[in-house]
Amino acid sequence: MKMKFLISNDDGVYAPGLLALYQALSAIAEVVVVAPNSEQSGCASALSLSMPLYTHQLDSGFIAVNGSPADCVHLALHELYADTRFDCVITGINSGANLGQDVLFSGTFGAALTAQLFGIPAIATSLVGGGVKGEGQEQTSHYQMAAAEIVKLLIETPILDACKNLPYHVLNVNIPDVDSADDIKGRKITALGHRQIARPVHHVVDPRGRDAYWLSLRKRPHELPLETEDLQSSAIDMTDDQAVAAGYISLSPVRLHHTPADTLKTLSALML
């Protein structure tokens, strides 16, 4: 019996990364697509609770929704495909990195998070690189390469079974933006890194003389010292951004609903 996947994204239903992912996964599984009708980058796991959602089926069979990525997954699981048992929800392929603390803001990650909240294994995928939002055939081939690597991950490793046995975990995958799969050195299990944002807000004056502000997540080139439980107590020796910079595919398991036991003890002691 073929596997069944639901895919979505935050770059919109017409994004090349979504199409590449659909085409690659369709070779190994039954795949349905429910995605936003426009770009929704940076919306995390926001749900549209104050407006109705509308759907439109494209000639491709993809379903476009006037909402967030989380809306799309929520609607697909509980209404559009309520009778379907999906093996996994896979989101992306995002145009650009989702590394470190960026997962807090990412719609790609937020859609995967929504699936996991309802007990569905979830993988968020991104193509790292400053030029992936460009135009042309080169961009398409890079997404196709990344999609092929995702398929390899699913069929060559037991990662999907592992995800099914890890409730409230999202696997966050970042693939280096390289010309050929031969340029990828392999895969690394990583912890989320953390780097300071170089300039969180850009202030500009619009043509009418009004103040306007662009928010930015662009990071400083150097990394802050990382102090994470994962790196201190395990064999993990790389953060996600370090792995991608070294030419590896980064696989970061991110656990939800995590209240650290040591922190509970520390704060409980303050209440005595």
Side-chain angles (χ1 to χ4, degrees):
M1 181 181 296
K2 268 195 170 184
M3 294 181 289
K4 295 181 180 180
F5 295 148
L6 166 67
I7 65 175
S8 190
N9 71 348
D10 70 359
D11 290 321
V13 71
Y14 300 103
L18 184 74
L19 178 60
L21 183 62
Y22 171 79
Q23 291 174 335
L25 290 177
S26 293
I28 63 169
E30 295 178 19
V31 185
V32 297
V33 178
V34 183
N37 62 7
S38 62
E39 184 179 348
Q40 298 286 324
S41 297
C43 65
S45 54
L47 290 176
S48 300
L49 302 179
S50 59
M51 70 175 196
L53 297 175
Y54 297 93
T55 64
H56 173 66
Q57 187 163 20
L58 307 182
D59 291 341
S60 61
F62 296 4
I63 296 178
V65 180
N66 65 319
S68 70
D71 287 335
C72 295
V73 171
H74 192 105
L75 186 62
L77 294 180
H78 299 287
E79 179 64 28
L80 303 179
Y81 296 99
D83 296 328
T84 301
R85 183 178 180 88
F86 291 106
D87 292 281
C88 190
V89 172
I90 304 178
T91 61
I93 299 169
N94 188 67
S95 178
N98 275 315
L99 299 165
Q101 69 266 40
D102 286 358
V103 300
L104 297 174
F105 312 105
S106 164
T108 299
F109 186 85
L113 163 61
T114 302
Q116 260 294 6
L117 289 175
F118 294 110
I120 311 298
I123 300 174
T125 67
S126 301
L127 178 62
V128 179
V132 294
K133 288 186 181 290
E135 301 291 340
Q137 186 63 35
E138 181 181 18
Q139 178 195 32
T140 299
S141 66
H142 286 206
Y143 282 117
Q144 291 170 341
M145 178 278 300
E149 290 300 314
I150 294 165
V151 170
K152 289 180 192 176
L153 176 67
L154 294 172
I155 65 176
E156 294 179 359
T157 77
I159 195 69
L160 189 53
D161 286 337
C163 290
K164 290 178 179 179
N165 293 318
L166 291 173
Y168 299 112
H169 283 69
V170 171
L171 185 67
N172 191 51
V173 179
N174 280 271
I175 301 167
D177 184 26
V178 293
D179 292 325
S180 166
D182 294 337
D183 298 323
I184 295 177
K185 293 183 179 179
R187 309 182 186 107
K188 287 279 188 180
I189 302 298
T190 62
L192 296 181
H194 179 82
R195 288 192 297 162
Q196 286 185 326
I197 298 175
R199 188 179 173 188
V201 178
H202 293 258
H203 171 231
V204 297
V205 178
D206 75 9
R208 295 188 177 185
R210 299 172 299 187
D211 290 326
Y213 306 92
W214 282 97
L215 305 186
S216 172
L217 296 178
R218 187 177 296 277
K219 307 301 186 299
R220 292 181 179 175
H222 64 279
E223 185 178 9
L224 291 176
L226 183 72
E227 297 180 0
T228 71
E229 181 181 331
D230 292 332
L231 288 186
Q232 291 171 356
S233 61
S234 72
I236 302 301
D237 60 356
M238 279 189 175
T239 58
D240 50 3
D241 52 343
Q242 290 172 335
V244 169
Y248 293 93
I249 296 173
S250 167
L251 310 172
S252 298
V254 182
R255 183 168 59 179
L256 318 176
H257 303 314
H258 177 211
T259 305
D262 290 344
T263 304
L264 285 173
K265 292 179 183 178
T266 299
L267 294 182
S268 295
L270 296 177
M271 298 296 126
L272 297 179

